[in-house]
């Protein structure tokens, strides 16, 4: 359809991007508005997304594209709170349950954490799917409920679904990208994430940009480009934004799957948990508190139980029972090592796909997930193993899924003879002034 209001039409805009021309702000505004209103149909927006995928966008274009997606809906405003607001966003990885201990930890240190999250699609799990493993817990809150929880001095952290009014253009565009092979475009990913985070009304934002086999960004150059683009967009919108590039070659922690990940998050909140998960939780908490202007050591709140108290308050505030038993799978199967050795690598993508095939993830929007399904790891890089020792336990309610999950894990582990020290999960830090400090 060629709607020529305001002198623009979709075909000319698609052709301009196809031919490598920079789009004007007026063209971007028109396209996003017409798409949101249903004047520009899916096939034209899909064609533009593909042209953007191949031609990219300048920083000016991507900043304006983000602004236009924010303007397609409403913005939340927490400026009336008596505490600074700060949020974290991860670009997604296998076993990434960091939001679970992080949000209550940062709230226990004096910030308000408004975390609007999504459900998982494909091999990476969604934070809401994980929390929905807790009996009674509710992801859908009204704006008034969100404001009440955030302003309650005993809670101060909320993890909930983004309402339909938040960047609706992104919701429609993301669903289209998902079925047109245009998800993996740096300007489209950056504008998608940042439009929701800016519309959410946070004062400061820390981005966890994952890089490696289990992440969107498979190499460091792309991860740097994505991080710089998002930090620029945040700074342009007046949101203090910092990014950490973190490793996603191996799964984070020892579990992938909804209830399994909640159990591990509880271990971290109780002062235990896997070293990489604790390290990353504290690194992100320090960045968030720094971005919020709070000079507090989060390790103390993790140690003395204040973070666990906040977790309990946060779960209760959303209808969950923090004392209820988490669901367990009806069937398990254990994979064992064939030879002695030291684990040299464990492929994150293989573990993510196995967990997904066991029922922890969905293949289409709206599908139900199994709360108890997933992979529990027993050996990660650096760990010595003996022949016959367990490498992983697979959990599912539907045992016919074991075969394909085991197929995904066939070559997941590699072994060496020498002990290796696992690398720090934080690779680099990208700040608003562009300084990049390799960790
Ligand atoms: N997450 C988002 O919200 N959008 C993307 O485009 C990719 C990941």
């Amino acid at each position: 359809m060629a709607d020529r209001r305001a002198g623009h039409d979709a075909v000319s805009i698609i052709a301009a991007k196809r031919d490598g021309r920079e789009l004007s702000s007026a063209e971007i505004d028109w396209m996003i508005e017409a798409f949101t209103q249903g004047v520009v149909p899916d096939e034209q927006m899909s064609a533009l997304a593909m042209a953007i995928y191949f031609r990219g966008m300048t920083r000016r274009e991507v900043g304006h594209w983000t602004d236009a997606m924010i303007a397609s809906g409403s913005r939340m405003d927490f400026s009336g709170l008596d505490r600074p607001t700060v949020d974290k966003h991860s670009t997604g990885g296998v076993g990434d349950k960091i939001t679970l201990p992080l949000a209550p930890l940062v709230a226990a240190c004096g910030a308000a954490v408004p975390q609007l999250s999504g459900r998982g699609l494909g091999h990476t799990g969604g934070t809401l799917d994980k929390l929905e493993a807790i009996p009674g817990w509710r992801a859908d809150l009204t704006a008034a409920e969100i404001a009440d929880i955030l302003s309650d001095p005993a809670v101060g952290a909320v993890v909930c679904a983004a309402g339909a009014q938040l960047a609706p253009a992104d919701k429609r565009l993301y669903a289209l990208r998902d079925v047109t092979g245009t998800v993996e475009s740096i300007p489209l990913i950056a504008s998608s994430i940042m439009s929701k985070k800016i519309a959410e009304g946070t004062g400061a934002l820390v981005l966890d940009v994952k890089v490696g086999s289990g992440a969107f960004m498979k190499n460091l150059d792309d991860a740097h480009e994505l991080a710089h683009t998002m930090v620029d967009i945040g700074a342009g919108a007046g949101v203090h934004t910092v990014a950490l590039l973190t490793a996603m070659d191996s799964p984070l922690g020892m579990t992938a799957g909804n209830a399994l990940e909640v159990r591990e998050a509880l271990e971290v909140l109780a002062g235990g948990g896997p070293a990489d998960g604790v390290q990353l939780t504290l690194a992100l908490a320090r960045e968030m508190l720094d971005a919020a202007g709070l000079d507090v050591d989060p390790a103390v709140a993790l140690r003395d139980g204040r973070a666990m108290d906040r977790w309990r308050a946060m779960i209760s505030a959303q209808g969950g029972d923090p004392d209820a038993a988490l669901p367990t799978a009806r069937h398990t199967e254990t994979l064992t090592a064939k030879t002695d050795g030291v684990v040299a690598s464990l492929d994150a993508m293989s573990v993510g796909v196995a967990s997904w095939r066991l029922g922890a993830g969905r293949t289409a929007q709206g599908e139900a997930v199994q709360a108890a399904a997933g992979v529990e790891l027993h050996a990660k890089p650096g760990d010595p193993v003996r022949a016959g020792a367990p490498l992983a336990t697979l959990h599912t309610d539907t045992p016919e899924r074991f075969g394909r999950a085991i197929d995904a894990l066939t070559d997941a582990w590699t072994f060496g003879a020498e002990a290796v020290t696992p690398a720090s999960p934080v690779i680099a830090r990208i700040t608003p002034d562009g300084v990049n400090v390799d960790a």
Side-chain angles (χ1 to χ4, degrees):
M1 185 188 298
D3 182 307
R4 292 180 175 273
R5 287 176 302 171
H8 298 293
D9 72 277
V11 175
S12 309
I13 292 172
I14 296 163
K17 182 48 72 182
R18 179 200 63 200
D19 296 341
R21 182 169 71 70
E22 186 177 2
L23 301 181
S24 71
S25 298
E27 286 172 319
I28 291 172
D29 286 341
W30 180 87
M31 191 75 186
I32 296 280
E33 196 193 331
F35 174 61
T36 308
Q37 291 175 356
V39 172
V40 165
D42 285 357
E43 56 269 27
Q44 287 186 315
M45 194 48 137
S46 303
L48 182 59
M50 189 58 87
I52 293 169
Y53 177 92
F54 281 113
R55 289 295 190 171
M57 276 180 157
T58 63
R59 288 281 167 90
R60 185 201 60 76
E61 282 176 298
V62 76
H64 202 84
W65 186 271
T66 309
D67 290 344
M69 291 211 294
I70 296 168
S72 72
S74 56
R75 283 176 85 142
M76 302 185 81
D77 179 11
F78 301 117
S79 57
L81 289 177
D82 60 356
R83 279 157 295 153
T85 48
V86 59
D87 190 10
K88 183 260 329 184
H89 179 84
S90 161
T91 56
V94 178
D96 184 1
K97 72 279 292 172
I98 298 294
T99 291
L100 277 52
L102 184 64
L105 171 60
V106 171
C109 293
V113 185
Q115 171 119 75
L116 273 47
S117 297
R119 291 192 166 74
L121 189 64
H123 76 281
T124 60
T127 299
L128 303 182
D129 297 320
K130 298 173 209 240
L131 285 165
E132 280 174 345
I134 300 171
W137 188 85
R138 257 186 330 119
D140 293 308
L141 301 180
T142 63
E145 284 174 317
I146 296 171
D148 281 353
I149 296 172
L150 281 182
S151 57
D152 183 339
V155 191
V158 62
V159 182
C160 66
Q165 76 292 347
L166 208 84
D170 176 65
K171 279 199 185 64
R172 282 198 62 201
L173 179 55
Y174 191 80
L176 264 192
R177 288 167 54 210
D178 202 34
V179 294
T180 55
T182 51
V183 169
E184 295 88 350
S185 150
I186 289 176
L188 292 178
I189 294 173
S191 54
S192 166
I193 292 172
M194 294 305 290
S195 62
K196 288 173 287 205
K197 290 288 147 181
I198 296 166
E200 161 197 287
T202 187
L205 177 63
V206 175
L207 299 161
D208 180 1
V209 178
K210 302 281 186 203
V211 56
S213 79
F216 268 127
M217 297 296 116
K218 306 290 181 205
N219 66 65
L220 263 179
D221 285 349
D222 286 349
H224 272 280
E225 173 64 19
L226 177 62
H228 278 290
T229 306
M230 292 196 290
V231 166
D232 262 16
I233 294 171
V239 177
H240 183 109
T241 308
V242 175
L244 295 184
L245 299 195
T246 70
M248 187 33 71
D249 287 309
S250 304
L252 192 55
M254 301 302 282
T255 55
N258 304 311
L260 292 170
E261 294 193 42
V262 174
R263 210 163 279 134
E264 186 173 296
L266 284 166
E267 287 170 21
V268 173
L269 286 163
D276 59 348
V278 175
Q279 236 179 319
L280 189 54
T281 302
L282 287 173
L284 289 165
R286 290 194 177 102
E287 290 295 346
M288 288 172 75
L289 293 166
D290 184 56
L294 295 168
D295 184 14
V296 188
D297 181 2
V300 178
L302 202 53
R303 240 188 347 256
D304 67 15
R306 278 180 295 142
M308 178 65 99
D309 292 343
R310 288 296 172 131
W311 160 267
R312 295 176 60 81
M314 180 180 106
I315 296 304
S316 302
Q318 291 181 231
D321 177 357
D323 295 314
L326 289 165
T328 51
R330 286 200 279 277
H331 303 271
T332 60
E333 194 154 317
T334 299
L335 301 186
T336 54
K338 292 194 174 55
T339 53
D340 293 356
V342 176
V343 179
S345 67
L346 169 57
D347 181 54
M349 181 61 105
S350 306
V351 174
V353 170
S355 172
W356 175 31
R357 289 182 179 173
L358 288 165
R362 53 178 67 78
T363 40
Q365 308 271 6
E367 232 174 51
V369 297
Q370 290 185 23
V375 179
E376 187 185 356
L377 299 164
H378 304 299
K380 290 232 305 184
D383 291 340
V385 291
R386 306 300 299 253
L391 292 176
T393 305
L394 313 189
H395 298 243
T396 186
D397 292 332
T398 40
E400 61 276 16
R401 291 172 179 264
F402 279 131
R404 294 203 65 231
I406 292 169
D407 288 349
L409 290 170
T410 307
D411 297 317
W413 285 264
T414 65
F415 298 90
E418 301 287 312
V420 285
T421 312
S424 158
V426 180
I427 299 165
R429 179 172 183 265
I430 318 287
T431 61
D433 52 9
V435 181
N436 173 4
V437 186
D438 282 325

